[in-house]
Amino acid sequence: GESIIGRAQKNGIINVECIDIRDFTEDKHRKTDDTPFGGGMGMVMTCQPIFDCYKSVRESIPEQSKTRVIYMSPKGRIFNHDIAKELSEYDNLIFLCGHYEGVDQRLIDEYIDEEISIGDFVLTGGEMPAAIMTDAIVRLLPGAMGDETSALSDSFQDGLLEPGVYTRPADYKGWKVPEILLSGHQAKIEEWLYEESVRHTMERRPDLLEE
Ligand code: SAH
């Protein structure tokens, strides 16, 4: 409910619903997990509550709308700006967030369009990855950001990192803002910003330039 996602909801650009899988369990102890077949450590999220939860979510959205069902998983394609852009084109995104050792593979085989990871590390649940993806996707939607041009100049938007940014005062404790930015010469400023952008990318992420 905060920041850009909060505002995007107030402005009717998006609607976020968090659904507790446990509310769908038919188990009298509200259990949603069980021990893995074949042995091994940890617990696995069972089919029934997730299947019923998924069915109820699907029934709440129009059948013809463009929907992608994503399982948050360290085994998935690693999330990046291009995936955020791709997913911003959908009407609905359903994020299945796992816990414990993850969810029963049969659910993934039957209902998941894609597994996505937010990086090569393992978290305890999929909720934070889903929140991170939601933030990255929502800020790309038209009207979600106050100033739409700001999303356009962000890092990765054009395959380059953003140049350093500066604001007033022009001189703080003797640390000066690059003079060119104060020159008022817009064409030269643009050229300098582009060069800075390339320099930052070359120094920090040369792999982006190769792509
Ligand atoms: N045993 C699993 C990890 C389970 S972690 C394995 O080794 O692959 C529990 C849940 O946290 C996962 O089901 C997933 O939904 C979420 N999760 C953990 N790390 C993640 C990551 N890097 N990206 C996205 N989701 C992650």
Side-chain angles (χ1 to χ4, degrees):
E2 301 292 323
S3 188
I4 301 245
I5 296 187
R7 206 171 55 203
Q9 287 182 88
K10 273 191 215 104
N11 296 342
I13 296 169
I14 55 156
N15 178 32
V16 179
E17 262 187 85
C18 301
I19 301 164
D20 188 350
I21 290 167
R22 205 181 284 284
D23 291 343
F24 291 84
T25 180
E26 284 170 357
D27 183 89
K28 59 176 181 298
H29 305 296
R30 286 177 46 91
K31 227 171 88 126
T32 54
D33 61 337
D34 211 329
T35 53
F37 277 127
M41 306 262 283
M43 298 297 270
V44 177
M45 290 177 75
T46 57
C47 288
Q48 179 274 316
I50 297 178
F51 174 74
D52 288 346
C53 177
Y54 175 70
K55 236 178 16 188
S56 132
V57 171
R58 276 321 279 234
E59 277 161 13
S60 73
I61 55 184
E63 231 170 271
Q64 303 84 343
S65 58
K66 209 174 158 208
T67 301
R68 191 131 181 106
V69 188
I70 296 157
Y71 174 46
M72 301 314 314
S73 159
K75 299 192 316 196
R77 174 159 77 124
I78 294 185
F79 188 58
N80 63 23
H81 188 74
D82 287 339
I83 301 177
K85 268 200 285 199
E86 207 180 293
L87 294 176
S88 71
E89 309 277 323
Y90 283 83
D91 299 320
N92 310 293
L93 298 173
I94 301 175
F95 297 100
L96 172 58
C97 305
H99 267 260
Y100 321 117
E101 289 306 314
V103 311
D104 191 302
Q105 183 64 35
R106 288 167 293 182
L107 290 162
I108 299 172
D109 296 342
E110 293 286 334
Y111 297 110
I112 298 299
D113 294 319
E114 179 174 23
E115 295 182 47
I116 297 182
S117 165
I118 60 156
D120 286 343
F121 42 81
V122 179
L123 299 162
T124 49
E127 293 81 2
M128 283 194 273
I132 285 169
M133 283 184 60
T134 304
D135 187 294
I137 294 163
V138 169
R139 63 202 299 289
L140 299 177
L141 298 177
M145 302 267 275
D147 172 6
E148 275 187 49
T149 57
S150 57
L152 289 178
S153 68
D154 277 339
S155 296
F156 306 111
Q157 185 64 34
D158 52 5
L160 294 172
L161 300 180
E162 196 184 63
V165 288
Y166 300 88
T167 187
R168 274 174 284 277
D171 184 336
Y172 179 69
K173 295 181 191 286
W175 307 332
K176 296 205 173 65
V177 163
E179 223 160 281
I180 178 85
L181 293 176
L182 311 175
S183 69
H185 196 305
Q186 207 50 39
K188 280 208 174 122
I189 292 176
E190 297 293 334
E191 194 185 342
W192 182 84
L193 288 173
Y194 179 73
E195 281 166 11
E196 280 293 287
S197 203
V198 173
R199 186 173 67 81
H200 277 246
T201 313
M202 225 141 60
E203 282 172 7
R204 294 153 197 241
R205 292 293 305 277
D207 56 301
L208 293 176
L209 294 175
E210 279 160 29
E211 273 171 34

